[in-house]
Amino acid sequence: MKMIRQLTNLRHLLRKQVNNRRPVYLSSHPLTSLLGSRRLFKAVNLDTLTPTMPSSMDPKGIVVFTSVGRSQYGFDIFTVNLNQTPITGSTSEHRLTDGISINYNAQFVNEDQSIVFISERSGCPRIYLTRRGLSKPEQLPSVPDSLFHDRPIIKSHHLYFISAHEQPEKPFQSWSALYSTELHGKRKIIRLSPYGVVDYSPAISKSGTFVAIASYGSRPWEGDFHELKTDIVVFPTSDPNNRLVVCERGGWPTWSGDSTIFFHRQADDGWWSIFRVQFPENPLELSEFPVLPLPITPPGLHCFTPAAFNDGKRIAVATRRRGKCYRHIEIFDLERKVFHPVTELLNPAFHHYNPFVSSNSESLGYHRFRGKSIEGESRVPHLEPVASPIEDLGMLRINGSFPSFSPDGSLLALNPALDENGGIKVVKSDGSERWTLIKGRVAFCNSWSPTEKYVIYSSLGPIFESTKTTVQIARVTFEPSYLNSDLQEIPCDVKILTREDTGNNAFPSCSPDGKSLVFRSGRSGHKNLYILDAVNGEFNDGIRKLTAGPWIDTMPSWSPNGDLIAFSSNMHNPNNVDAFSIYVIKPDGSDLRRIYAAGPKGSSDVDMERINHVCFSPNGEWLVFAANIGGVTAEPVSFPNQFQPYGDLYVMRLDGSGLRRLTCDGYENGTPTWHFGGELDMRRLCLGNDAGVELTGGFDEPLWITSDFN
């Protein structure tokens, strides 16, 4: 009878999703294991539940995109012996990972320096184990079709971890949930989070009896990311449905024994601080809850991501001190109320993240940029393959922003940075070589002429400024013969197409016939779209207005067929500068319409859309874009800076159907471009230390963490 009820409920869900032309992920339903599939079902017979997969209708080609700061992380995992730390006058730091890709968020498994950790060496975050004597890390059981795993822990021959592979029934809810599997035997993966509940950052008590989690519950995401509105929830490992909120407002729990939990939160005075809750040996026997937490660390510095020692006398924390530029690991003595620095004495000019402590309290671990003089990958590839959830759609992360393909796909234009150190560079699409076209000035958003192989359009001037700030559309031309020379800096001709007195002109996109550009301009006092002559610019009356209104229209993309222009706009809610959705319009200004991604027209969900960087597929049938629909995947305070740590890439048909998530991680992903493939062969990419630029660890701490308090 239970199976019949589940089948009836599933049919109802499928009918509702199909009628609304929404994607259906059967993996989020309890009948997943019965049906034996975790793939997206494009068409379903509602009576027999027999899936059909019209794969010929899936999007194809290669999407190239950027992830903010990610290319320069170069994370490896290090430990120090606390009996020989700088506290006692000796320096001893040991690297546990091998310098391949990025490695982070580790936990000790036993006293021989074995660790379980996350690595992105396979194209997405997966779980690995390493120990002394292993030539390479061992990949542990994980969810095959998951693009995201995090915070692994091994306890009593079980592996616990976060995964984000099951789509919730509603948009604007994170996919992150807690899972476990046995390391021996059948290795069946079990979901511990109730369906519809979002969980982050697990911790297991000393005895292995209890789990603590930072839980968002079943609430829809409210747009928070500086401090997620999570609660500290505890449940027995043997009964994951018996959940108890022991403390409201808190993240990143860590156990001391079985009766004390430390966690971080932003205190009322603005400083991130560590708090403690204590309860009986069995927290489920509490008569009053949530428990009132006690602040542990003093104001005047930020303290994050605690790791408790089993002696109950110390915690390790990551700190940001006023007047200091770097995040460091320190040990806080709970009895004497004093901090002992660790990593600042070892590597004062590196950021250090997310400490972890061995069960015997003798070793302290963390991850950091591996440094320039250590073995391992020392260069950032120009292009890096990323796991894709769609078989015929390749994914490449570029070291830069706003990539744009040349007509034949052999070259890519990009902006290596969005400041005066950026400019415009050109890279071969196999990642083997890169040249500089413009340097020493800010450039952003490139559009390669579809009809001229050596003509690129770009915006010259500061990004994301007011309507009056001078930003100009430029036509950049270069000679192909220079690409075969030894020159690293290619001479080019820069022709300005907009008048200097017209203010902020940016985000050009070239028409498929190469004759016109659509771009965003603030010349009227509002940021709207205009169409411009691609050769002569606006100086011979070669400009006309496409949209008009007291709102923001931006980041346009001209369809490859020439019949539509897609763009982001908040015209549906002009007073909200975050409320961007997808619109399309014909080049003559007719047939303006909104394409709804988060739900059908009129639903409350579409009011929460924040969608940018819209781009057409090569056949003009699909759109790729960055959106907030999947919420936040991991605690942002535990990562380097992400301006929007909820930005993931999605694809969708022009009619609003077929929504698919392409990326799932803790990064801000954006500025995609889409090529049909052609000459691109992802198996021939130049990776490792054979190509690319120097890995310097040049990333920022979260810019929203401030020390400007009284």
Side-chain angles (χ1 to χ4, degrees):
M1 290 299 295
K2 181 179 180 181
M3 184 180 297
I4 293 175
R5 288 196 302 269
Q6 290 178 338
L7 194 59
T8 301
N9 292 337
L10 181 56
R11 284 175 177 164
H12 174 72
L13 170 64
L14 289 171
R15 286 194 179 97
K16 181 174 68 174
Q17 295 288 79
V18 171
N19 289 339
N20 290 331
R21 297 183 305 184
R22 310 312 304 157
V24 179
Y25 279 83
L26 297 184
S27 58
S28 63
H29 194 276
L31 280 177
T32 294
S33 58
L34 172 66
L35 296 169
S37 176
R38 294 182 180 270
R39 296 293 299 268
L40 175 68
F41 280 61
K42 286 292 189 65
V44 179
N45 183 317
L46 298 179
D47 295 318
T48 63
L49 290 176
T50 301
T52 59
M53 293 288 294
S55 59
S56 61
M57 298 179 67
D58 276 351
K60 295 177 172 61
I62 293 179
V63 171
V64 180
F65 68 100
T66 188
S67 300
V68 172
R70 159 63 177 77
S71 296
Q72 283 290 341
Y73 284 0
F75 287 151
D76 266 325
I77 297 166
F78 295 79
T79 65
V80 293
N81 186 326
L82 293 179
N83 296 323
Q84 301 174 350
T85 64
I87 299 172
T88 59
S90 174
T91 59
S92 176
E93 187 183 46
H94 176 67
R95 184 174 70 158
L96 296 182
T97 47
D98 57 3
I100 304 300
S101 185
I102 65 170
N103 309 287
Y104 55 96
N105 284 357
Q107 292 289 333
F108 286 109
V109 177
N110 50 42
E111 312 308 331
D112 67 354
Q113 300 283 291
S114 297
I115 57 169
V116 58
F117 64 101
I118 297 296
S119 180
E120 297 187 9
R121 64 191 63 214
S122 64
C124 65
R126 293 197 178 277
I127 305 169
Y128 291 82
L129 180 141
T130 192
R131 58 180 177 270
R132 292 181 180 179
L134 276 184
S135 58
K136 65 178 182 179
E138 172 191 352
Q139 186 171 339
L140 294 182
S142 58
V143 183
D145 59 349
S146 177
L147 298 179
F148 180 80
H149 297 82
D150 195 23
R151 300 298 309 279
I153 304 169
I154 293 178
K155 193 76 173 182
S156 303
H157 306 293
H158 281 75
L159 172 65
Y160 300 84
F161 58 93
I162 297 293
S163 179
H165 62 281
E166 295 186 290
Q167 182 183 13
E169 292 185 7
K170 297 181 180 180
F172 303 107
Q173 190 171 30
S174 174
W175 297 22
S176 296
L178 179 64
Y179 299 81
S180 72
T181 184
E182 292 181 335
L183 290 177
H184 308 289
K186 295 183 179 181
R187 295 190 170 189
K188 180 182 178 181
I189 293 174
I190 299 172
R191 177 172 177 137
L192 301 182
S193 303
Y195 284 92
V197 169
V198 178
D199 287 335
Y200 307 99
S201 309
I204 311 297
S205 67
K206 181 179 180 180
S207 68
T209 304
F210 298 106
V211 177
I213 203 86
S215 181
Y216 210 94
S218 58
R219 295 175 291 115
W221 179 52
E222 299 178 20
D224 47 304
F225 72 92
H226 290 175
E227 180 189 8
L228 293 182
K229 297 178 180 179
T230 53
D231 299 325
I232 304 301
V233 172
V234 171
F235 58 85
T237 54
S238 60
D239 186 8
N241 290 320
N242 189 9
R243 294 164 64 102
L244 175 69
V245 177
V246 298
C247 180
E248 296 177 339
R249 268 197 66 208
W252 207 272
T254 178
W255 288 89
S256 177
D258 278 28
S259 60
T260 302
I261 295 175
F262 297 89
F263 62 91
H264 65 206
R265 71 154 66 149
Q266 192 168 15
D268 294 339
D269 57 14
W271 296 101
W272 282 80
S273 301
I274 307 303
F275 290 76
R276 177 176 61 197
V277 290
Q278 291 181 295
F279 32 75
E281 284 296 324
N282 184 357
L284 302 181
E285 295 177 354
L286 282 172
S287 58
E288 295 183 7
F289 57 88
V291 177
L292 182 66
L294 297 176
I296 297 301
T297 54
L301 79 166
H302 292 296
C303 297
F304 326 94
T305 60
F309 288 76
N310 279 327
D311 59 15
K313 299 178 180 180
R314 296 170 292 170
I315 56 173
V317 294
T319 65
R320 276 279 304 280
R321 291 183 173 271
R322 177 178 278 164
K324 298 292 182 71
C325 298
Y326 296 94
R327 182 182 298 208
H328 281 293
I329 308 302
E330 303 186 41
I331 295 174
F332 184 66
D333 189 314
L334 297 169
E335 296 177 343
R336 298 173 57 198
K337 309 295 184 184
V338 295
F339 287 93
H340 298 285
V342 178
T343 60
E344 188 175 17
L345 303 177
L346 295 167
N347 311 293
F350 289 167
H351 296 297
H352 299 72
Y353 292 90
N354 305 355
F356 58 101
V357 179
S358 63
S359 59
N360 63 6
S361 300
E362 293 183 359
S363 294
L364 170 67
Y366 46 83
H367 62 264
R368 66 165 175 87
F369 166 56
R370 66 180 61 102
K372 300 179 182 180
S373 60
I374 201 165
E375 292 183 1
E377 293 177 351
S378 60
R379 301 187 70 79
V380 180
H382 299 310
L383 292 161
E384 177 186 10
V386 175
S388 171
I390 301 175
E391 182 177 0
D392 294 326
L393 187 67
M395 301 280 290
L396 293 172
R397 179 184 288 122
I398 196 166
N399 182 23
S401 299
F402 295 105
S404 180
F405 278 101
S406 62
D408 65 357
S410 62
L411 300 169
L412 276 159
L414 62 102
N415 306 120
L418 299 178
D419 55 25
E420 60 276 3
N421 298 317
I424 301 175
K425 293 184 182 291
V426 171
V427 62
K428 281 188 175 181
S429 59
D430 66 358
S432 61
E433 295 184 75
R434 192 172 78 163
W435 301 269
T436 299
L437 288 185
I438 294 178
K439 69 175 185 178
R441 64 189 303 182
V442 182
F444 64 94
C445 191
N446 312 291
S447 179
W448 210 303
S449 170
T451 59
E452 299 176 274
K453 188 174 180 180
Y454 304 104
V455 174
I456 300 166
Y457 299 95
S458 193
S459 319
L460 300 183
I463 191 171
F464 301 131
E465 292 291 340
S466 69
T467 58
K468 296 181 179 180
T469 303
T470 298
V471 182
Q472 295 177 298
I473 303 298
R475 175 184 168 99
V476 182
T477 307
F478 64 98
E479 288 292 330
S481 59
Y482 288 117
L483 299 180
N484 298 318
S485 68
D486 294 330
L487 294 176
Q488 293 301 305
E489 297 182 13
I490 304 298
C492 63
D493 176 70
V494 179
K495 181 179 180 180
I496 302 299
L497 300 181
T498 50
R499 297 199 318 269
E500 187 174 358
D501 61 357
T502 57
N504 195 328
N505 305 288
F507 300 105
S509 178
C510 194
S511 62
D513 62 8
K515 296 179 180 180
S516 302
L517 299 174
V518 61
F519 70 104
R520 187 267 289 143
S521 180
R523 61 188 63 208
S524 69
H526 304 290
K527 293 181 177 180
N528 298 132
L529 302 185
Y530 293 75
I531 290 182
L532 183 72
D533 185 287
V535 177
N536 299 312
E538 66 174 298
F539 298 101
N540 295 318
D541 296 324
I543 190 171
R544 60 182 172 88
K545 183 178 288 188
L546 182 64
T547 64
W551 49 72
I552 301 173
D553 305 318
T554 190
M555 300 180 185
S557 174
W558 212 311
S559 72
N561 303 322
D563 57 336
L564 287 175
I565 292 168
F567 60 99
S568 295
S569 178
N570 69 338
M571 66 174 68
H572 54 282
N573 190 358
N575 294 324
N576 186 347
V577 296
D578 294 331
F580 285 96
S581 294
I582 300 173
Y583 288 80
V584 292
I585 191 172
K586 289 186 177 180
D588 64 5
S590 65
D591 291 346
L592 173 69
R593 63 184 173 93
R594 179 177 173 184
I595 302 177
Y596 297 91
K601 180 180 179 180
S603 68
S604 60
D605 292 327
V606 299
D607 294 333
M608 288 187 63
E609 289 180 352
R610 181 168 183 168
I611 300 176
N612 286 303
H613 307 305
V614 186
C615 175
F616 279 95
S617 65
N619 62 9
E621 296 178 0
W622 294 81
L623 296 171
V624 61
F625 51 89
N628 62 342
I629 298 172
V632 176
T633 306
E635 291 196 50
V637 74
S638 67
F639 280 89
N641 183 61
Q642 302 292 316
F643 296 99
Q644 298 175 175
Y646 45 80
D648 276 300
L649 297 186
Y650 292 78
V651 291
M652 179 178 67
R653 293 190 185 91
L654 275 174
D655 63 2
S657 66
L659 183 70
R660 302 281 297 269
R661 187 175 185 172
L662 295 184
T663 61
C664 187
D665 50 45
Y667 314 134
E668 178 186 353
N669 302 297
T671 70
T673 190
W674 197 334
H675 194 266
F676 62 83
E679 295 184 7
L680 288 174
D681 185 350
M682 295 179 65
R683 295 169 299 180
R684 300 179 63 183
L685 286 174
C686 292
L687 303 171
N689 292 332
D690 296 330
V693 298
E694 182 182 13
L695 178 62
T696 64
F699 54 85
D700 296 319
E701 267 283 88
L703 301 179
W704 39 269
I705 296 177
T706 178
S707 298
D708 297 331
F709 306 119
N710 294 327

